[in-house]
């Protein structure tokens, strides 16, 4: 168990948390939610002991081990992936290394023998002999190729490092598990495995995530941060949302009845306070009026952007034709004979473990790269807007936000441009902020403003939900659902994919693809698709051997 007792954290004059009391118990998974800036990651750091509070303390049941998902992807570059995972149990790793050092001595003494015996006993108690196999199970489950298990972390890709660090956090069945955005940069298969792992995990989990489907699937409770307080709700994210909305509705209805009663009493007092025969009743009602208190309904600090993609031109029947498109990069076949025709009502989700292949395909479609073989053709009625996964170059300049967006607008009127910024929660002085100093979430909102102002009828979005809070993800999700044009997109948010796409294209590891007109859930449930994916992945491993 881990609990916060009267925790207060002040940053200057601002209180991020004020007298927070909350208890997280064994066997439950808590989703920690709140608007951007509410302090979700900060509260995890407080629980982990990495940040001191202004007042109050954190109490952990004596003897329990706490594990945290680390965010520094370069910290373990000098270690093998396997060793990094086992470091998740620091004491076990220390014992392993001390044993190795003793046995490597040329002048092995009696004292060394006694110490080695002690270490062997401790090692066995911690299931040390199963350490490598347990670590391998976690890495395999998260989709890391077995050939990479003993590779230096410095030689792994960014997404592979994320998987190793997550496996490190999960290793050794910690008593308390703190996870900050654990599904970021995980492919959909890895997320599915991770969900099942947490569902069967018997200890305490506290997780911050913007993935609504993930929170619905794994959470037993929701801890909502708002106005410096944390309110605990039983149930998953959807249950929290419905119950919180219901509570507000009930409070409003109760206040409405109180307001009606107040009005009735005020009218009586006004009519009869000067009438001697009614003065006693008027005085009585005045006392009753003074006792009525309206519940203080504070609107949530959450703010939802308004995302509405309105194409300037209706799309025709001919949208996009891709024929035998292939691409090899650094000797590796990334795309192999991709062929499909897109319909005017299609919203296609591109899925699969090879994110680089999907990004490469999108860059070919918008003209940034050339295919080695094959062709693609956009219909004459189409106009495209592109959301790149790597957007750093877009903001490497001295423009203010308003100047930056004006450069992409046909209508240069300042009021018109600021209207699009306002929809994305850039208000007042925000317009004069330099784009190069924006946060990840602010840059994403700028790019979405750019896509809206373009009036395009064909949208290509490469991981647009990265860096967005729950409210912005919901707004984007709803905006794409009602968008009357076509969309090609990649996204790790299961609910986003399920509710937006009517067609799934999976790019397989060998560069080939599966194309199905179906929902995402139906696609995942297809035994035929599962067999085909397994066959291709297995073949790749065999070929590597």
């Amino acid at each position: 168990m881990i609990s916060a007792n009267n925790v207060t954290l002040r940053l200057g004059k601002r209180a991020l948390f004020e007298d927070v009391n909350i208890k997280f118990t064994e066997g439950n998974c808590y989703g920690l939610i709140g608007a951007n800036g509410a302090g979700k990651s900060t509260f995890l750091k407080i629980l982990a002991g990495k940040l001191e509070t202004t007042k109050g303390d954190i109490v952990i049941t004596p003897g329990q081990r706490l594990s945290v998902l680390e965010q520094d992807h370069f910290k373990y570059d000098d270690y093998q992936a396997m060793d990094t995972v086992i470091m998740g149990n620091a004491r076990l790793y220390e014992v392993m290394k001390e044993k190795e050092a003793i046995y490597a001595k040329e002048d092995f003494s009696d004292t060394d023998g006694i110490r080695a015996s002690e270490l062997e006993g401790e090692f066995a108690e911690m299931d040390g002999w199963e350490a490598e196999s347990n670590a391998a199970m976690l890495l395999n489950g998260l989709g890391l190729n077995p050939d990479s298990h003993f590779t230096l972390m410095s030689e792994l890709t960014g997404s592979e490092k994320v998987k190793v660090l997550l496996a490190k956090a999960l290793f050794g069945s910690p008593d308390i598990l703190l996870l900050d955005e654990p599904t970021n940069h995980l492919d959909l298969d890895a997320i599915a495995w991770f969900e099942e792992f947490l569902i069967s995990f018997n200890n305490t989990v506290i997780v911050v995530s913007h993935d609504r489907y993930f929170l619905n699937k794994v959470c037993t409770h929701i801890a909502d941060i708002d106005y410096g307080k944390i309110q605990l709700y039983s149930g998953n994210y959807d249950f929290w949302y419905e119950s919180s909305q219901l509570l507000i509705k009930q409070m409003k209805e109760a206040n409405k009845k109180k307001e009606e009663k107040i009005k009735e009493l005020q009218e009586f007092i006004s009519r009869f306070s000067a009438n001697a025969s009614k003065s006693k009743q008027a005085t009585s009602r005045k006392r009753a009026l003074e006792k009525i208190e309206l519940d203080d309904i504070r609107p949530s600090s959450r703010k939802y952007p308004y995302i509405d993609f309105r194409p300037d031109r209706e799309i025709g029947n001919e949208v996009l034709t891709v024929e035998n498109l292939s691409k090899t990069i650094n000797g590796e076949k990334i795309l192999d004979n991709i062929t499909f025709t897109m319909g005017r009502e299609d919203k296609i989700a591109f899925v699969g473990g090879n994110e680089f292949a999907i990004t490469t395909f999108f860059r070919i479609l918008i003209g940034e790269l050339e295919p080695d073989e094959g062709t693609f053709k956009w219909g004459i009625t189409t106009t495209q807007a592109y959301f790149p996964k790597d957007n750093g170059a877009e903001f490497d300049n001295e423009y203010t936000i308003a100047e930056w967006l004006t450069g992409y607008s046909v209508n240069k009127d300042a009021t018109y441009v600021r209207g699009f910024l306002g929809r994305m929660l850039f208000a007042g002085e925000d317009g004069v902020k330099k784009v190069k100093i924006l946060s990840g979430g602010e840059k994403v909102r700028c790019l979405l403003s750019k896509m809206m102002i373009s009036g395009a009828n064909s949208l290509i979005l490469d991981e647009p939900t990265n860096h967005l809070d729950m409210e912005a993800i919901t707004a984007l999700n709803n905006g794409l659902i009602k968008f009357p044009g076509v969309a090609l997109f990649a996204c790790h948010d299961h609910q986003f994919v399920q509710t937006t796409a009517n067609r799934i294209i999976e790019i397989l590891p060998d560069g080939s693809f599966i194309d199905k007109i179906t929902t995402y859930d139906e696609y995942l449930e297809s035994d035929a698709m599962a067999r085909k994916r397994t066959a291709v992945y297995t073949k790749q491993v065999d070929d590597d051997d």
Side-chain angles (χ1 to χ4, degrees), residues 98-99 101-120:
E98 189 177 350
K99 278 203 318 164
I102 290 175
Y103 290 138
K105 287 184 175 182
E106 293 184 2
D107 53 342
F108 191 88
S109 66
D110 291 341
T111 302
D112 290 330
I114 293 171
R115 180 56 181 161
S117 177
E118 293 171 348
L119 292 172
E120 290 290 4

Side-chain angles (χ1 to χ4, degrees), residues 326-390:
S326 297
K327 182 71 175 178
T328 298
I329 297 179
N330 296 328
E332 181 182 355
K333 196 86 165 184
I334 301 297
L335 302 167
D336 186 13
N337 201 33
I338 307 296
T339 300
F340 67 92
T341 299
M342 190 172 190
R344 67 195 306 259
E345 296 182 352
D346 277 346
K347 288 171 183 172
I348 306 176
F350 284 76
V351 302
N354 194 342
E355 298 176 15
F356 180 63
I358 296 172
T359 296
T360 299
F361 181 66
F362 286 167
R363 292 182 66 194
I364 289 173
L365 292 185
I366 54 95
E368 287 187 359
L369 293 175
E370 291 288 334
D372 296 334
E373 301 172 27
T375 61
F376 70 94
K377 182 180 180 182
W378 289 100
I380 59 173
T381 63
T382 64
T383 51
Q384 296 80 43
Y386 175 51
F387 182 102
K389 181 191 295 187
D390 182 3

Side-chain angles (χ1 to χ4, degrees), residues 282-323:
T283 301
S284 175
R285 281 165 171 73
K286 189 173 183 180
R287 291 196 192 101
L289 178 62
E290 291 171 350
K291 292 180 181 179
I292 297 177
E293 294 182 2
L294 296 180
D295 293 321
D296 180 20
I297 303 176
R298 299 182 72 183
S300 171
S301 61
R302 293 172 172 81
K303 294 182 179 180
Y304 289 81
Y306 179 69
I307 300 179
D308 187 19
F309 300 106
R310 297 184 182 181
D312 294 332
R313 181 179 185 179
E314 184 178 354
I315 203 163
N317 290 324
E318 294 184 6
V319 179
L320 173 66
T321 302
V322 179
E323 293 185 357

Side-chain angles (χ1 to χ4, degrees), residues 220-239:
T220 60
H221 297 74
I222 294 294
D224 178 33
I225 303 178
D226 212 356
Y227 296 111
K229 301 292 185 181
I230 303 181
Q231 181 69 40
L232 193 61
Y233 296 82
S234 294
N236 61 14
Y237 177 79
D238 279 351
F239 187 83

